[in-house]
């Protein structure tokens, strides 16, 4: 079994569709199908069940694919060690960032890294926590910036900063004149949220326990900027993190209000695989984030974190 065939196995196991797996692997569907058949014949077992509703992974196939992922990760690690042995700060760094952090953190971070690690350009993957977790464990990205809670076997996590949540209402809203409000003062029927799958949605619902039931249709936005526009249009209110509420995003159409103390907040962390060959690069990114001018509370560096 070749490394290319291993990659095809993983792609088909995750996509459950020959066409999508082939597109993801940048190969024709007949070539991918032939490679999968060759592997099954070589191993003498069926790894996938083909049916009208798509592709299913057999129990044996699931075990084989799990082992293949480990082989691919170790292969990538061998290449990384050889390539980065002389300097872990040289070469592209594949960084994953959750949707609700990326637009507000990446512009200043990229600029900071041009100074702190000029030979290490970022290849950014913006995605949900679940997808970034999968990609991190599969070796498809080198590290991920996420919000807690997050924990996975074999993954190192270091805190970067804490940021508070704030309420955003239309300028003419009944709450617009308040300086601080209790979560219980917010109207369930007015709340605008991100879709299921975004950790910020869960964090907001955890903060405002009165909003246990899902919002009615039309009260969701696919990004924080969509939610901000919906509020500006008078469609409701929302809760955003402090990094999304800097002066750059100020508008007379909106009013931003603090929660009463203790203000709800989230902790943002950076995560990477234990034993990763370029851990010094991760520490350099963490140090760069902590040095940014953001409306957050930077957290102390862990012992052993690299700085300039």
């Amino acid at each position: 079994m070749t490394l290319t065939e291993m990659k095809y196995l993983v792609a088909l196991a995750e996509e459950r569709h020959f066409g999508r797996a082939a597109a993801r692997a940048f190969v024709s569907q007949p070539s991918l199908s032939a490679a999968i058949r060759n592997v099954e014949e070589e191993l003498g077992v069926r790894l996938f069940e083909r049916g009208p509703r798509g592709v299913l992974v057999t129990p044996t196939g699931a075990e084989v694919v799990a082992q293949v992922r480990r082989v691919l990760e170790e292969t990538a690690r061998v290449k990384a060690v050889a390539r980065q042995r002389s300097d872990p700060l040289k070469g592209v760094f594949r960084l994953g960032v959750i949707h609700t952090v990326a637009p507000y953190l990446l512009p200043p971070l990229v600029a900071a890294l041009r100074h702190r690690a000029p030979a290490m350009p970022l290849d950014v993957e913006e995605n949900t926590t679940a997808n970034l977790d999968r990609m991190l464990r599969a070796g498809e990205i080198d590290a991920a910036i996420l919000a807690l809670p997050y924990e996975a076997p074999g993954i190192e996590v270091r805190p970067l900063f804490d940021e508070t949540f704030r309420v955003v209402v239309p300028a003419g809203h009944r709450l617009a004149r308040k300086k601080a409000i209790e979560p219980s003062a917010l109207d369930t029927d007015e709340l605008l949220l991100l879709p299921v799958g975004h950790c910020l949605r869960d964090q907001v619902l955890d903060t405002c326990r009165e909003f246990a039931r899902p919002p009615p249709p039309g009260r969701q936005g696919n990004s924080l900027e969509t939610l901000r526009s919906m509020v500006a249009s008078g469609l409701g209110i929302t809760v955003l993190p402090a990094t999304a509420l800097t002066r750059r995003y100020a508008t007379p159409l909106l009013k931003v209000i603090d929660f009463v103390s203790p203000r709800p907040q989230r902790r943002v962390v950076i995560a990477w695989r234990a034993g990763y060959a370029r851990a010094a690069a991760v520490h350099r990114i963490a140090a760069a984030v902590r040095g940014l001018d953001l409306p957050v509370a930077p957290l102390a560096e862990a012992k052993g974190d690299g700085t300039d």
Side-chain angles (χ1 to χ4, degrees), residues 81-121:
V81 168
R83 185 175 60 250
Q84 306 300 335
R85 186 175 181 84
S86 60
D87 187 352
L89 299 180
K90 284 186 178 179
V92 173
F93 190 94
R94 302 166 299 172
L95 180 66
V97 190
I98 56 174
H99 293 297
T100 58
V101 169
Y104 317 106
L105 176 66
L106 286 175
L109 176 59
V110 170
L113 286 175
R114 289 195 186 114
H115 167 69
R116 289 176 175 261
M120 189 180 72

Side-chain angles (χ1 to χ4, degrees), residues 173-175 178 180-188 190 210-211 237 259:
H173 194 271
R174 60 181 177 79
L175 298 174
K178 290 186 173 290
I181 57 177
E182 294 272 1
S184 58
L186 305 183
D187 188 340
T188 304
E190 291 186 298
E210 294 78 7
F211 306 138
I237 64 177
F259 282 107

Side-chain angles (χ1 to χ4, degrees), residues 37-105:
R37 283 196 301 271
N38 288 339
V39 171
E40 290 181 323
E41 290 175 2
E42 176 185 343
L43 298 179
V45 293
R46 291 192 64 183
L47 304 179
F48 300 97
E49 293 181 4
R50 291 83 165 165
R53 295 186 178 181
V55 177
L56 295 177
V57 184
T58 67
T60 301
E63 293 183 20
V64 170
V65 169
Q67 183 62 40
V68 162
R69 284 196 178 101
R70 288 191 284 270
V71 172
L72 291 176
E73 181 175 344
E74 290 302 320
T75 301
R77 184 174 298 176
V78 169
K79 293 180 179 179
V81 168
R83 185 175 60 250
Q84 306 300 335
R85 186 175 181 84
S86 60
D87 187 352
L89 299 180
K90 284 186 178 179
V92 173
F93 190 94
R94 302 166 299 172
L95 180 66
V97 190
I98 56 174
H99 293 297
T100 58
V101 169
Y104 317 106
L105 176 66

Side-chain angles (χ1 to χ4, degrees), residues 104 166-178 190 192 223-242 244-258:
Y104 317 106
R166 306 180 74 189
V167 181
V168 183
V169 304
H173 194 271
R174 60 181 177 79
L175 298 174
R177 294 186 179 183
K178 290 186 173 290
E190 291 186 298
L192 303 170
S223 72
L224 297 190
E225 294 312 308
T226 300
L227 292 180
R228 193 197 312 271
S229 297
M230 292 171 72
V231 175
S233 299
L235 297 179
I237 64 177
T238 195
V239 176
L240 299 181
L245 295 168
T246 58
R247 184 176 300 178
R248 172 184 177 185
Y249 301 99
T251 168
L253 297 176
L254 300 175
K255 178 67 185 299
V256 179
I257 310 166
D258 288 322

Side-chain angles (χ1 to χ4, degrees), residues 139-155:
E140 296 175 15
I141 57 176
D142 299 310
I145 294 179
L146 313 160
L148 294 183
Y150 173 74
E151 185 178 0
I155 301 296

